[in-house]
Amino acid sequence: MAQRHRDTAFAQATDPRAEPPVTGCDGTAGDVLAGYLREQATTFLRALTQGEGDGGSGGAPGTPDAAHQLRRSARRIGSALHTYGPLTDTAWSEPLRAELGWLASSLAREYQHSARLARLLSALHRLSSAEVEDEPALVPAQPGPPPPAPGGGPLAVGGARAGALLERQLTLARTRAHSAALQAMGSSRFHAVADAVAVLASEVSLTAAAEAPADQTLTALTERAHARLAEAAGALPLARAGQPYNGDTLRAALAADLPAERQDAPWHRVRILLRLSRYAREVFPYDDGEPETRPASLARVLEQHREAAEAAEAVTAAARTPRIAPATAYALGVLHADQRQEVEQARFAFVHLWMRA
Amino acid sequence: MAQRHRDTAFAQATDPRAEPPVTGCDGTAGDVLAGYLREQATTFLRALTQGEGDGGSGGAPGTPDAAHQLRRSARRIGSALHTYGPLTDTAWSEPLRAELGWLASSLAREYQHSARLARLLSALHRLSSAEVEDEPALVPAQPGPPPPAPGGGPLAVGGARAGALLERQLTLARTRAHSAALQAMGSSRFHAVADAVAVLASEVSLTAAAEAPADQTLTALTERAHARLAEAAGALPLARAGQPYNGDTLRAALAADLPAERQDAPWHRVRILLRLSRYAREVFPYDDGEPETRPASLARVLEQHREAAEAAEAVTAAARTPRIAPATAYALGVLHADQRQEVEQARFAFVHLWMRA
């Protein structure tokens, strides 16, 4: 029955004869928000159908594209429900937001392990190969296993062995994440989220505040999202991070009691707030003087920051494997420092993009 | 007899009643060069006497200060003989220059091992300690052994063990260098150099070219030294090195067939040519528009470049020690990458100083 309900909602939402979604600043705040949510819910349901059509079992997304689209829409819906919370019935929207977060992160994990492995093998390739390429610094090299190291002392085999160890560990993690995602997609919990999104495609529970004109209410709520981002970014050590080669990201790399997570956390928080601010721009675009491409550029460098930080952690975890050879451990140490350096580079790039405003 | 000859020369050279050395642009080119060489030779002989007075055995420099001064003067004399070669009898100056180079590097080795150990222990301290200091990036932290790592996984002991290993290896190397320096200072080879410098304090073998007016001949030879530096610096990958976080210095860090020395060599060559150019400014100072403090700043960053590169090599050598623990090897890998990063930082600083001209 839930499935039929979803199919009906999808058919209605994608019917070309249906009312066009309200966008822009006309109408009430509720109209604009509901229009956006409807659009995202439709995309979500289309990705779900696509996944099922590909022969996925029990509603699991069959293709990486479908999974990506599901994640993308789930994040946007959750984000809009958060930023424009006062316009919706929170007894309905808050639990939905939490479930959408669960769904998005369940689907993300497999992809993240893949991306991490590709990043680390690409870095090992760069650290092990001879030629100097003239590529821009933030674009990663083509991933691939590191070339066989020629003879030359006991350290020469370290890179290849470290690559093999990481490949083993991260492939296992990816396989587990894949199984977990499949299991999640077959669960009644998942079906409940999908049904809630299907309802969203046809009707959104709005409050009285949603009756106000769009340009007043939405401007205020959108600006609040931008302000939260600006406040958190302003609290970062921007002057320090904007100075190249400050060495902060590697500081305490060998200290057991102060993991890198502590110094990375404020940056991760800014990444989340930037996402909320960017998606708010989609719901209610208005000219506040922000250069059009800057939010996406900022998001890219903070994504690099997160990926490099998590890759560095995976390297440390691999170095804790019992009975590895010293040459492997040495290569992992070099690789860890290399990734922490990319964390520093991403912070540097963020500061210079951020200050340009 | 050689000793008596040196003492006499020293007494003459330091006699206040003796003619004042010719400096500046008056007189012949030979006068100016001979004046500079006499001055440096006197400093050399004074340091030698000071070393002997401190109870050094067989003419060995008893204090680090005396050894530093001997090295300093030996380099300046050798450099002047090289840059102004056409003004001196090369049959006499070329062998002397080679011997002064041998002496300077014999004396430098002990100091270099000490400095390397201090640099690496300071870096390990930074990598192992918790607090973030707001120090300028190019000023190294106070050296000292890394603090004991608190419990927290098998990697926690790596920093302390790596520090102990480096301390053992570099202290041994320093002790050997000290013995070698003492032996060198007691050798007949050393006495021959000292005698030649003593002769230099009273007379310099000049050619007919030295009879020309100073401002013509010396300007041309000094400019040639500056031009050689400019040419070698211009051939460096300046655009690339001026881009922060380019990652070049760590590239191929795990490749056995392409040691870092190959990419470092052009920078080391520029360091040598900068030294020749700087000392030429001492022999014959004239205003060519070069800001007064820039050559010294450039020399400092290239010295950092050399020290960091050599420290990184020492770390790799330590990682080749048989039967070290994986945690030690991991810490050495992180430390190696950290020092290569300082190599990159020094190149970045060089480019921005160099381009400022």
Side-chain angles (χ1 to χ4, degrees), chain A residues 170-220:
Chain A
L170 288 171
T171 302
L172 180 63
R174 189 184 56 195
T175 307
R176 282 186 183 148
H178 182 74
S179 305
L182 279 182
Q183 204 168 7
M185 298 303 112
S187 69
S188 56
R189 185 176 178 182
F190 174 76
H191 286 289
V193 189
D195 285 341
V197 173
V199 171
L200 200 64
S202 50
E203 58 183 87
V204 177
S205 301
L206 297 167
T207 60
E211 297 299 319
D215 54 0
Q216 281 172 29
T217 315
L218 292 184
T219 304

Side-chain angles (χ1 to χ4, degrees), chain B residues 204-220:
Chain B
V204 178
S205 300
L206 297 167
T207 59
E211 296 300 320
D215 53 1
Q216 281 173 29
T217 314
L218 291 183
T219 304

